[in-house]
Amino acid sequence: MHNLTISIFGNKIFLEIIEEIKLFSKFQIKLFDDFDYWCKEISNNKQLAIFFMTKKNEKYYKKIIKGNFPLVVINQSSNRSNISGEFIEKLNTPIKILDLNKKIISLLSRYEFSKLSLIHLSSYIIDKNERKIKKDGIELQLTEREIDFLISFT
């Protein structure tokens, strides 16, 4: 987790505050103004993304929730949009820095745990946590013994 890059879209002042208080000093932090470049960067490098939901940025939100990466959405208090997802955390402004830090740590832990539980075997995906094997949208529940047997082929 220490090699992680936090990519911020939509708020330069936030980046300056974070750098000033050295909250995420163990991570590399990047600011992006170009949405398409930001999306390409976080999708290719599996970074944690911080997205500022504003009236101007609302049109981009539907594009980024499709990605399978950890995402923190910082929403204006007056904007009550429905934000949800497995690796999405939501904060409303004004934010408390300690809350942001806790959300990021929690989100990264869930993401890493989930990532480590998936095993790719040919065109199948084995989920050790849920004890399922998946292929083409079809899931089959397995026993722990069956999971161990399949894992021996990896």
Side-chain angles (χ1 to χ4, degrees), residues 61 75 80-84 90:
Y61 178 69
N75 198 20
R80 299 285 182 214
S81 57
N82 187 12
I83 299 170
S84 63
K90 176 187 166 193

Side-chain angles (χ1 to χ4, degrees), residues 109-122:
S109 298
R110 282 195 328 264
Y111 181 72
E112 289 296 319
F113 181 75
S114 175
K115 194 168 78 171
L116 292 174
S117 71
L118 298 179
I119 298 172
H120 296 274
L121 182 63
S122 186

Side-chain angles (χ1 to χ4, degrees), residues 8-154:
I8 300 170
F9 177 76
N11 197 325
K12 185 177 181 176
I13 295 170
F14 178 76
L15 173 68
E16 292 170 0
I17 292 169
I18 293 299
E19 287 179 341
E20 185 176 318
I21 62 174
K22 296 178 181 17
L23 179 63
F24 302 117
S25 58
K26 59 186 172 187
F27 302 121
Q28 182 181 4
I29 301 174
K30 292 182 180 178
L31 175 71
F32 292 88
D33 291 326
D34 183 315
F35 179 78
D36 293 325
Y37 182 67
W38 180 67
C39 285
K40 183 178 172 184
E41 185 76 17
I42 56 178
S43 295
N44 291 340
N45 298 322
K46 300 295 183 191
Q47 304 175 8
L48 180 123
I50 297 177
F51 179 78
F52 282 84
M53 179 75 83
T54 62
K55 294 286 184 196
K56 179 181 159 189
N57 294 343
E58 244 179 65
K59 60 186 174 190
Y60 300 131
Y61 178 69
K62 290 181 182 177
K63 292 180 182 179
I64 62 168
I65 59 171
K66 295 176 185 173
N68 191 23
F69 52 83
L71 173 68
V72 176
V73 177
I74 300 178
N75 198 20
Q76 293 177 347
S77 297
S78 60
N79 188 359
R80 299 285 182 214
S81 57
N82 187 12
I83 299 170
S84 63
E86 185 179 2
F87 301 119
I88 298 175
E89 286 288 343
K90 176 187 166 193
L91 286 169
N92 288 326
T93 57
I95 62 173
K96 295 179 183 173
I97 294 297
L98 292 177
D99 287 345
L100 174 64
N101 194 27
K102 288 177 188 176
K103 294 260 185 187
I104 287 176
I105 291 169
S106 169
L107 182 61
L108 288 174
S109 298
R110 282 195 328 264
Y111 181 72
E112 289 296 319
F113 181 75
S114 175
K115 194 168 78 171
L116 292 174
S117 71
L118 298 179
I119 298 172
H120 296 274
L121 182 63
S122 186
S123 61
Y124 296 92
I125 298 174
I126 302 169
D127 189 331
K128 296 188 306 186
N129 293 339
E130 294 182 9
R131 286 196 236 145
K132 291 182 180 179
I133 188 165
K134 304 171 187 177
K135 181 181 180 183
D136 300 328
I138 300 172
E139 295 181 354
L140 179 64
Q141 191 71 41
L142 300 173
T143 66
E144 191 167 340
R145 192 174 214 171
E146 292 168 327
I147 292 279
D148 290 340
F149 178 73
L150 288 172
I151 291 173
S152 67
F153 289 113
T154 59

